[in-house]
Amino acid sequence: DTGVSQDPRHKITKRGQNVTFRCDPISEHNRLYWYRQTLGQGPEFLTYFQNEAQLEKSRLLSDRFSAERPKGSFSTLEIQRTEQGDSAMYLCASSPDPQGSYGYTFGSGTRLTVV
Amino acid sequence: QQPVQSPQAVILREGEDAVINCSSSKALYSVHWYRQKHGEAPVFLMILLKGGEQKGHEKISASFNEKKQQSSLYLTASQLSYSGTYFCGTGGAGRRALTFGSGTRLQVQP
């Protein structure tokens, strides 16, 4: 069990550029979540997958955000035409069960800075 | 809707106790508690499920009042390692993802 891995750890990009983040969950976990966290706030839900199916997407998420989880393994989160307001820590988490009765294991996150 | 946590911050001396509260305006299936240290990922502490089942570890306990849609986290005989920000995450029934509160900053001093 190597935990949840996220890559890259840090990303600095210019406004208007596209960025893609990767998350590798714990291998036997079928649920994968993406959250965003800004300083002094709790994690804000973005989207989640049950295996390869994207089951829920936050209504706050603009069309510039898209996520995939091909084959139910790793996941990618893409942000198109980045804006300064996208600067945040992007956290990925996984859990082993579909009923929400086990805790989440979070990765160390990808810190995005849009300049 | 985001659950509400109180207090927003607390400072303790080693060995003192603390209670952190989490309340929701929606019916809850589960309440999770996590601790996050500065610059690190949130770490799972405990889950409380509707019906009374609890799963967790460490020397931390919690309660879940389903009628009032509230949960409290009890930290007894606090240690320096308890310092961090505590988040509750609330979930409705079924397949929904957790919604997290804005956190309670806990600082334990020698």
Side-chain angles (χ1 to χ4, degrees):
Chain A
D1 180 357
T2 56
V4 177
S5 300
Q6 292 190 244
D7 184 68
R9 292 294 305 274
H10 303 274
K11 179 72 177 178
I12 300 174
T13 191
K14 291 184 178 179
R15 191 173 51 187
Q17 298 292 306
N18 299 344
V19 293
T20 300
F21 310 141
R22 178 180 169 120
C23 172
D24 287 89
I26 294 173
S27 58
E28 58 268 26
H29 286 188
N30 49 30
R31 276 202 161 184
L32 186 148
Y33 308 85
W34 284 101
Y35 283 83
R36 176 173 65 188
Q37 187 176 28
T38 53
L39 196 61
Q41 297 299 313
E44 176 191 21
F45 171 70
L46 296 178
T47 188
Y48 88 91
F49 294 83
Q50 171 90 11
N51 299 314
E52 66 274 9
Q54 188 174 19
L55 294 187
E56 188 181 359
K57 189 174 175 180
S58 169
R59 276 174 263 172
L60 301 175
L61 212 59
S62 79
D63 292 341
R64 296 185 297 106
F65 288 72
S66 63
E68 293 183 337
R69 192 184 181 195
K71 302 178 185 176
S73 55
F74 71 92
S75 175
T76 58
L77 177 70
E78 182 183 17
I79 309 174
Q80 297 182 327
R81 304 181 303 282
T82 52
E83 302 172 355
Q84 287 191 319
D86 296 332
S87 295
M89 176 72 82
Y90 289 82
L91 294 167
C92 175
S94 67
S95 74
D97 92 297
Q99 298 305 319
S101 55
Y102 286 85
Y104 294 4
T105 302
F106 281 89
S108 298
T110 293
R111 180 168 296 283
L112 174 66
T113 303
V114 182
V115 297
Chain B
Q1 282 180 332
Q2 188 179 37
V4 177
Q5 288 187 233
S6 63
Q8 289 186 317
V10 59
I11 300 174
L12 299 174
R13 295 285 183 191
E14 266 189 298
E16 292 181 339
D17 302 339
V19 180
I20 301 172
N21 301 302
C22 174
S23 63
S24 173
S25 59
K26 299 170 76 172
L28 298 178
Y29 169 78
S30 66
V31 179
H32 293 218
W33 287 96
Y34 293 79
R35 178 172 59 215
Q36 185 176 31
K37 294 184 180 285
H38 183 69
E40 298 180 9
V43 173
F44 171 70
L45 296 175
M46 175 167 287
I47 183 172
L48 301 104
L49 301 172
K50 189 174 181 178
E53 186 179 2
Q54 297 187 18
K55 301 176 190 176
H57 54 90
E58 298 190 22
K59 301 174 187 176
I60 293 171
S61 62
S63 64
F64 181 17
N65 186 322
E66 297 169 29
K67 266 190 165 181
K68 292 186 177 180
Q69 294 149 199
Q70 293 176 344
S71 177
S72 295
L73 186 71
Y74 305 97
L75 305 169
T76 56
S78 59
Q79 306 168 17
L80 294 175
S81 62
Y82 286 9
S83 293
T85 301
Y86 289 77
F87 295 101
C88 69
T90 56
R95 314 171 85 178
R96 305 300 300 276
L98 293 178
T99 302
F100 285 92
S102 55
T104 295
R105 276 195 319 281
L106 180 79
Q107 184 181 354
V108 181
Q109 296 178 341

